[in-house]
Amino acid sequence: MLLQVLGTAAGGGVPQWNCACPGCSGARAHPHWRRRHASLAVQASEDRWYLVNATPDIGDQIEDCPALHPGPGSRRTPIAGLVLTDAELDHTLGIARLREAGAGGLELLTTGPVREALLTGLRLEAVVGPYTPLTWRDLPLARPEPLTSTSSDTPNSTAAPNSTAAPDSAVTITAIPISAKRPRYAADLPVPEGDSWVVALLLTDRATGATAVYAPALAAWPDALQSAVDQADCVIVDGTFWDDEEPRRTGISTRTATAMGHLPIDGPGGTAERLAPLGARCLYTHLNNTNPLVDPGVPQYKRLADRGIEVAGDGMVIQL
Ligand code: MLT
Ligand code: MN
Ligand code: ZN
Protein backbone atom coordinates (compact mmCIF):
# COMPACT_ATOMS: atom_id res chain seq x y z
CA MET A 1 0.00 0.00 0.00
CA LEU A 2 1.27 3.40 -0.95
CA LEU A 3 0.21 6.55 0.90
CA GLN A 4 1.30 10.08 0.04
CA VAL A 5 0.94 12.73 2.72
CA LEU A 6 -0.37 15.83 0.93
CA GLY A 7 -0.67 18.09 3.96
CA THR A 8 -0.45 18.01 7.74
CA ALA A 9 -2.01 21.23 9.09
CA ALA A 10 -5.30 21.90 10.83
CA GLY A 11 -7.81 24.45 9.54
CA GLY A 12 -6.01 27.66 8.56
CA GLY A 13 -2.80 25.94 7.57
CA VAL A 14 0.69 27.06 8.57
CA PRO A 15 0.99 29.97 8.14
CA GLN A 16 -2.63 31.09 8.46
CA TRP A 17 -3.43 34.17 6.38
CA ASN A 18 -4.41 36.43 9.30
CA CYS A 19 -2.09 35.12 11.99
CA ALA A 20 1.26 36.37 13.29
CA CYS A 21 1.63 33.86 16.12
CA PRO A 22 5.13 32.39 16.61
CA GLY A 23 4.25 29.34 14.45
CA CYS A 24 2.82 31.35 11.56
CA SER A 25 5.56 34.01 11.71
CA GLY A 26 8.16 31.26 11.88
CA ALA A 27 6.66 29.62 8.80
CA ARG A 28 6.89 32.93 6.89
CA ALA A 29 10.56 33.21 7.85
CA HIS A 30 11.43 29.51 7.36
CA PRO A 31 9.65 27.86 4.43
CA HIS A 32 10.37 24.36 5.78
CA TRP A 33 7.99 25.11 8.70
CA ARG A 34 5.07 25.51 6.27
CA ARG A 35 2.30 22.93 6.25
CA ARG A 36 -0.69 22.60 3.96
CA HIS A 37 -4.09 21.41 5.18
CA ALA A 38 -4.17 17.77 6.24
CA SER A 39 -4.79 15.34 3.42
CA LEU A 40 -3.65 11.95 2.19
CA ALA A 41 -3.56 10.22 -1.20
CA VAL A 42 -4.13 6.45 -1.24
CA GLN A 43 -3.08 4.35 -4.22
CA ALA A 44 -5.98 2.04 -5.09
CA SER A 45 -4.28 0.50 -8.13
CA GLU A 46 -1.36 1.35 -10.35
CA ASP A 47 -2.70 4.60 -11.75
CA ARG A 48 -5.78 5.24 -9.59
CA TRP A 49 -5.63 7.28 -6.43
CA TYR A 50 -8.21 8.40 -3.88
CA LEU A 51 -7.70 11.64 -2.02
CA VAL A 52 -8.69 11.60 1.63
CA ASN A 53 -10.37 14.96 2.22
CA ALA A 54 -10.50 17.90 -0.16
CA THR A 55 -8.71 20.86 1.36
CA PRO A 56 -8.52 24.50 0.28
CA ASP A 57 -4.97 23.65 -0.89
CA ILE A 58 -6.05 20.75 -3.12
CA GLY A 59 -4.87 22.28 -6.40
CA ASP A 60 -1.35 22.90 -5.09
CA GLN A 61 -1.33 19.53 -3.34
CA ILE A 62 -2.05 17.76 -6.63
CA GLU A 63 0.60 19.78 -8.46
CA ASP A 64 3.21 18.92 -5.81
CA CYS A 65 2.57 15.17 -6.12
CA PRO A 66 3.66 13.84 -9.54
CA ALA A 67 1.68 10.60 -9.08
CA LEU A 68 -1.51 12.72 -9.15
CA HIS A 69 -0.68 14.60 -12.33
CA PRO A 70 -2.98 14.10 -15.34
CA GLY A 71 -2.09 12.15 -18.46
CA PRO A 72 -1.54 10.39 -20.71
CA GLY A 73 -4.05 12.30 -22.73
CA SER A 74 -5.06 15.86 -22.12
CA ARG A 75 -7.89 15.35 -19.62
CA ARG A 76 -7.20 12.07 -17.93
CA THR A 77 -6.59 12.14 -14.20
CA PRO A 78 -5.39 9.35 -11.93
CA ILE A 79 -7.64 10.75 -9.18
CA ALA A 80 -10.53 8.28 -8.99
CA GLY A 81 -12.44 9.92 -6.15
CA LEU A 82 -12.56 11.58 -2.75
CA VAL A 83 -12.97 9.97 0.65
CA LEU A 84 -14.17 12.31 3.40
CA THR A 85 -13.52 11.70 7.10
CA ASP A 86 -15.90 14.51 8.12
CA ALA A 87 -17.69 17.55 6.71
CA GLU A 88 -15.45 20.25 8.22
CA LEU A 89 -14.61 23.14 5.89
CA ASP A 90 -10.89 22.41 5.94
CA HIS A 91 -11.69 18.93 4.58
CA THR A 92 -14.37 19.84 2.04
CA LEU A 93 -13.79 23.32 0.57
CA GLY A 94 -11.53 21.77 -2.06
CA ILE A 95 -14.42 19.86 -3.64
CA ALA A 96 -15.54 22.96 -5.54
CA ARG A 97 -11.94 23.41 -6.69
CA LEU A 98 -12.29 20.14 -8.64
CA ARG A 99 -15.37 21.27 -10.59
CA GLU A 100 -13.33 21.13 -13.82
CA ALA A 101 -13.85 17.34 -13.65
CA GLY A 102 -16.66 18.19 -16.05
CA ALA A 103 -18.67 15.36 -17.57
CA GLY A 104 -16.44 12.75 -15.92
CA GLY A 105 -17.86 13.72 -12.55
CA LEU A 106 -16.54 13.36 -9.02
CA GLU A 107 -17.06 10.37 -6.79
CA LEU A 108 -17.41 11.10 -3.08
CA LEU A 109 -17.28 8.45 -0.37
CA THR A 110 -18.90 9.76 2.81
CA THR A 111 -21.06 8.75 5.74
CA GLY A 112 -24.74 9.73 5.73
CA PRO A 113 -24.41 12.72 8.09
CA VAL A 114 -21.44 14.11 6.14
CA ARG A 115 -23.39 13.82 2.87
CA GLU A 116 -26.40 15.56 4.43
CA ALA A 117 -24.22 18.38 5.74
CA LEU A 118 -22.68 18.91 2.31
CA LEU A 119 -26.04 18.74 0.52
CA THR A 120 -28.13 20.86 2.85
CA GLY A 121 -25.54 22.92 4.74
CA LEU A 122 -23.12 23.72 1.91
CA ARG A 123 -25.61 23.07 -0.94
CA LEU A 124 -22.79 21.29 -2.74
CA GLU A 125 -24.98 19.47 -5.27
CA ALA A 126 -26.75 22.71 -6.21
CA VAL A 127 -23.50 24.69 -6.45
CA VAL A 128 -21.04 22.16 -7.94
CA GLY A 129 -23.53 19.90 -9.75
CA PRO A 130 -23.98 22.30 -12.70
CA TYR A 131 -20.22 22.04 -13.36
CA THR A 132 -19.66 18.34 -12.77
CA PRO A 133 -21.94 15.50 -11.63
CA LEU A 134 -21.36 14.26 -8.10
CA THR A 135 -21.66 10.55 -7.38
CA TRP A 136 -22.26 9.80 -3.72
CA ARG A 137 -21.13 6.50 -2.30
CA ASP A 138 -21.55 5.32 1.29
CA LEU A 139 -18.39 4.71 3.22
CA PRO A 140 -18.64 1.12 4.47
CA LEU A 141 -19.08 1.08 8.25
CA ALA A 142 -19.62 -2.61 8.90
CA ARG A 143 -17.18 -4.48 6.69
CA PRO A 144 -14.30 -3.54 4.41
CA GLU A 145 -15.02 -2.84 0.75
CA PRO A 146 -12.60 -2.47 -2.15
CA LEU A 147 -11.61 1.11 -2.82
CA THR A 148 -12.78 0.94 -6.42
CA SER A 149 -14.48 3.61 -8.41
CA THR A 150 -18.08 2.89 -9.37
CA SER A 151 -17.48 4.63 -12.67
CA SER A 152 -15.90 2.61 -15.43
CA ASP A 153 -13.07 5.02 -16.03
CA THR A 154 -11.25 7.72 -14.16
CA PRO A 155 -13.05 11.02 -13.65
CA ASN A 156 -12.41 13.60 -16.31
CA SER A 157 -11.53 10.92 -18.81
CA THR A 158 -12.48 11.67 -22.36
CA ALA A 159 -12.80 7.96 -23.11
CA ALA A 160 -16.24 6.67 -23.99
CA PRO A 161 -18.22 5.42 -20.99
CA ASN A 162 -17.67 1.76 -20.15
CA SER A 163 -14.72 1.57 -22.49
CA THR A 164 -12.36 0.50 -19.73
CA ALA A 165 -13.26 -1.70 -16.82
CA ALA A 166 -12.19 -0.27 -13.45
CA PRO A 167 -9.22 -2.31 -12.28
CA ASP A 168 -9.53 -4.21 -9.08
CA SER A 169 -8.47 -2.19 -6.08
CA ALA A 170 -5.37 -3.18 -4.16
CA VAL A 171 -6.88 -1.66 -1.02
CA THR A 172 -10.03 -2.10 1.06
CA ILE A 173 -11.57 0.61 3.19
CA THR A 174 -13.72 0.64 6.33
CA ALA A 175 -14.88 3.68 8.28
CA ILE A 176 -14.75 3.61 12.08
CA PRO A 177 -17.28 5.98 13.70
CA ILE A 178 -15.49 8.42 16.00
CA SER A 179 -17.78 11.19 17.13
CA ALA A 180 -20.90 13.30 16.66
CA LYS A 181 -18.85 16.50 16.27
CA ARG A 182 -20.58 18.56 13.58
CA PRO A 183 -19.09 21.44 11.65
CA ARG A 184 -20.29 24.80 12.98
CA TYR A 185 -22.23 25.49 9.76
CA ALA A 186 -24.17 22.26 10.35
CA ALA A 187 -25.03 22.95 14.00
CA ASP A 188 -28.76 23.37 13.35
CA LEU A 189 -29.25 21.03 10.42
CA PRO A 190 -32.08 18.51 10.91
CA VAL A 191 -29.69 15.59 10.71
CA PRO A 192 -29.91 12.95 13.46
CA GLU A 193 -27.17 12.75 16.04
CA GLY A 194 -24.78 9.90 15.50
CA ASP A 195 -21.12 9.17 15.80
CA SER A 196 -20.49 8.93 12.07
CA TRP A 197 -20.20 12.71 11.66
CA VAL A 198 -16.49 12.04 12.07
CA VAL A 199 -14.84 8.74 11.14
CA ALA A 200 -11.39 7.18 11.09
CA LEU A 201 -10.41 5.16 8.03
CA LEU A 202 -9.01 1.65 8.14
CA LEU A 203 -7.13 0.89 4.91
CA THR A 204 -5.93 -2.64 4.18
CA ASP A 205 -3.63 -3.88 1.43
CA ARG A 206 -5.44 -6.88 -0.03
CA ALA A 207 -2.23 -8.60 -1.11
CA THR A 208 -0.08 -8.21 1.99
CA GLY A 209 -2.67 -7.59 4.71
CA ALA A 210 -0.81 -4.44 5.79
CA THR A 211 -3.13 -1.90 7.42
CA ALA A 212 -3.13 1.83 8.02
CA VAL A 213 -5.47 3.89 10.19
CA TYR A 214 -6.05 7.54 9.27
CA ALA A 215 -7.85 9.63 11.88
CA PRO A 216 -7.24 13.37 11.47
CA ALA A 217 -10.07 14.40 13.86
CA LEU A 218 -10.39 12.70 17.21
CA ALA A 219 -12.87 14.10 19.71
CA ALA A 220 -12.94 10.67 21.32
CA TRP A 221 -11.08 7.38 21.24
CA PRO A 222 -13.75 4.67 20.90
CA ASP A 223 -13.06 0.97 21.50
CA ALA A 224 -13.38 0.25 17.77
CA LEU A 225 -10.52 2.67 17.09
CA GLN A 226 -8.39 0.99 19.75
CA SER A 227 -9.04 -2.43 18.15
CA ALA A 228 -8.05 -1.05 14.75
CA VAL A 229 -4.82 0.61 15.92
CA ASP A 230 -3.86 -2.49 17.94
CA GLN A 231 -3.74 -4.43 14.64
CA ALA A 232 -2.37 -1.68 12.41
CA ASP A 233 1.03 -1.28 10.80
CA CYS A 234 0.73 2.50 10.49
CA VAL A 235 -1.41 4.95 12.46
CA ILE A 236 -1.79 8.60 11.47
CA VAL A 237 -3.86 10.62 13.95
CA ASP A 238 -5.08 14.01 15.08
CA GLY A 239 -2.21 16.09 16.46
CA THR A 240 -4.06 19.43 16.41
CA PHE A 241 -2.97 20.58 19.87
CA TRP A 242 0.02 19.61 21.99
CA ASP A 243 -1.82 19.94 25.32
CA ASP A 244 -5.36 20.55 26.49
CA GLU A 245 -4.76 24.18 27.55
CA GLU A 246 -3.06 25.24 24.30
CA PRO A 247 -6.12 26.91 22.71
CA ARG A 248 -6.76 28.98 25.85
CA ARG A 249 -3.11 29.76 26.56
CA THR A 250 -2.56 31.00 23.01
CA GLY A 251 -5.79 32.98 23.02
CA ILE A 252 -7.41 31.33 20.02
CA SER A 253 -10.35 29.97 22.01
CA THR A 254 -11.97 30.01 25.41
CA ARG A 255 -12.28 26.24 25.24
CA THR A 256 -9.82 23.43 25.91
CA ALA A 257 -8.56 21.23 23.09
CA THR A 258 -10.87 18.43 24.21
CA ALA A 259 -13.88 20.77 24.30
CA MET A 260 -12.99 21.89 20.76
CA GLY A 261 -13.19 18.28 19.61
CA HIS A 262 -9.49 17.40 19.48
CA LEU A 263 -7.90 15.11 22.06
CA PRO A 264 -4.52 16.66 22.93
CA ILE A 265 -1.22 14.88 22.31
CA ASP A 266 0.36 15.31 25.74
CA GLY A 267 -0.83 14.83 29.29
CA PRO A 268 -3.17 12.40 31.02
CA GLY A 269 -5.75 11.11 28.57
CA GLY A 270 -3.64 12.46 25.70
CA THR A 271 -3.16 10.48 22.54
CA ALA A 272 0.63 9.99 22.98
CA GLU A 273 0.07 7.59 25.84
CA ARG A 274 -2.30 5.60 23.64
CA LEU A 275 0.13 5.48 20.72
CA ALA A 276 3.29 4.71 22.69
CA PRO A 277 2.48 1.03 23.42
CA LEU A 278 1.42 0.24 19.84
CA GLY A 279 3.50 -1.88 17.50
CA ALA A 280 2.52 0.37 14.59
CA ARG A 281 4.47 3.23 13.06
CA CYS A 282 2.65 6.23 14.60
CA LEU A 283 2.51 9.75 13.21
CA TYR A 284 0.65 12.95 14.04
CA THR A 285 -1.07 15.13 11.45
CA HIS A 286 -3.59 18.06 11.41
CA LEU A 287 -1.28 20.31 13.47
CA ASN A 288 -2.76 23.65 14.44
CA ASN A 289 -0.53 26.69 13.91
CA THR A 290 -0.44 27.19 17.71
CA ASN A 291 1.08 23.73 18.21
CA PRO A 292 4.73 24.00 19.38
CA LEU A 293 5.54 21.15 16.94
CA VAL A 294 5.23 23.67 14.09
CA ASP A 295 8.79 24.66 15.09
CA PRO A 296 10.97 21.68 14.08
CA GLY A 297 13.51 22.58 16.76
CA VAL A 298 11.37 22.21 19.89
CA PRO A 299 12.21 19.63 22.58
CA GLN A 300 8.74 18.14 22.24
CA TYR A 301 10.07 16.23 19.20
CA LYS A 302 12.48 14.31 21.44
CA ARG A 303 9.68 13.53 23.89
CA LEU A 304 7.69 12.00 21.06
CA ALA A 305 10.69 10.20 19.59
CA ASP A 306 11.42 8.67 23.01
CA ARG A 307 7.97 7.10 22.77
CA GLY A 308 8.53 5.98 19.18
CA ILE A 309 6.13 8.58 17.75
CA GLU A 310 6.72 10.75 14.66
CA VAL A 311 5.15 13.88 13.23
CA ALA A 312 4.04 13.53 9.62
CA GLY A 313 5.44 16.02 7.13
CA ASP A 314 4.01 17.31 3.86
CA GLY A 315 5.28 15.18 0.98
CA MET A 316 6.01 12.11 3.11
CA VAL A 317 5.60 8.82 1.24
CA ILE A 318 4.53 5.83 3.32
CA GLN A 319 4.91 2.38 1.80
CA LEU A 320 3.36 -0.51 3.72
C1 MLT B 1 -11.66 21.32 13.28
O1 MLT B 1 -10.79 20.51 12.93
O2 MLT B 1 -12.04 21.37 14.45
C2 MLT B 1 -12.26 22.21 12.28
O3 MLT B 1 -11.71 21.93 11.04
C3 MLT B 1 -12.13 23.62 12.67
C4 MLT B 1 -12.28 24.54 11.51
O4 MLT B 1 -13.39 24.95 11.18
O5 MLT B 1 -11.26 24.90 10.90
MN1 MN C 1 -9.91 20.55 10.97
ZN1 ZN D 1 -0.75 31.34 13.79
Side-chain angles (χ1 to χ4, degrees):
M1 178 164 31
L2 190 58
L3 308 174
Q4 299 244 15
V5 178
L6 303 180
T8 54
V14 185
Q16 180 175 310
W17 66 279
N18 63 346
C19 190
C21 76
C24 291
S25 302
R28 290 188 185 96
H30 315 288
H32 65 287
W33 288 29
R34 289 174 177 254
R35 292 174 185 269
R36 290 196 170 123
H37 288 94
S39 178
L40 190 71
V42 182
Q43 188 179 35
S45 59
E46 201 185 327
D47 58 353
R48 297 168 77 84
W49 292 78
Y50 279 81
L51 304 189
V52 180
N53 295 325
T55 85
D57 300 319
I58 197 165
D60 295 323
Q61 288 172 319
I62 292 169
E63 288 307 315
D64 281 355
C65 183
L68 303 178
H69 289 176
S74 68
R75 283 288 169 94
R76 193 183 177 94
T77 171
I79 299 169
L82 303 171
V83 180
L84 304 181
T85 58
D86 53 71
E88 295 287 348
L89 292 177
D90 56 337
H91 292 163
T92 57
L93 283 176
I95 297 168
R97 184 79 171 73
L98 301 187
R99 66 192 179 282
E100 295 87 1
L106 285 175
E107 182 173 85
L108 297 130
L109 278 80
T110 73
T111 63
V114 168
R115 183 173 59 243
E116 280 309 305
L118 297 177
L119 289 175
T120 60
L122 290 190
R123 294 183 63 247
L124 200 70
E125 188 85 57
V127 172
V128 178
Y131 299 84
T132 189
L134 303 179
T135 303
W136 300 89
R137 200 174 134 198
D138 282 333
L139 263 175
L141 291 162
R143 60 178 61 85
E145 283 181 14
L147 189 51
T148 310
S149 176
T150 51
S151 66
S152 56
D153 209 342
T154 44
N156 242 1
S157 167
T158 50
N162 301 321
S163 62
T164 317
D168 232 14
S169 177
V171 174
T172 64
I173 189 166
T174 325
I176 302 163
I178 296 294
S179 78
K181 184 196 177 218
R182 302 172 178 229
R184 278 191 249 177
Y185 71 81
D188 299 323
L189 290 184
V191 180
E193 288 303 326
D195 53 8
S196 58
W197 275 95
V198 178
V199 297
L201 303 177
L202 173 61
L203 301 159
T204 304
D205 186 306
R206 296 168 86 186
T208 66
T211 59
V213 173
Y214 186 65
L218 290 174
W221 191 285
D223 291 345
L225 177 64
Q226 186 64 45
S227 305
V229 299
D230 280 339
Q231 309 290 325
D233 298 291
C234 180
V235 174
I236 307 173
V237 300
D238 184 346
T240 309
F241 298 114
W242 175 259
D243 65 270
D244 211 24
E245 283 299 322
E246 179 185 317
R248 300 206 283 210
R249 188 174 57 249
T250 57
I252 62 155
S253 176
T254 56
R255 297 182 294 166
T256 62
T258 307
M260 290 179 73
H262 296 285
L263 297 177
I265 294 172
D266 196 39
T271 51
E273 63 183 29
R274 298 204 182 251
L275 298 181
L278 300 179
R281 179 178 181 191
C282 296
L283 307 104
Y284 282 112
T285 188
H286 196 271
L287 273 64
N288 196 55
N289 45 58
T290 53
N291 190 321
L293 295 170
V294 165
D295 175 351
V298 292
Q300 281 89 340
Y301 272 91
K302 172 147 180 16
R303 288 183 46 197
L304 290 180
D306 288 345
R307 303 175 99 169
I309 304 171
E310 301 170 59
V311 178
D314 294 21
M316 218 177 222
V317 178
I318 297 173
Q319 175 102 52
L320 297 171

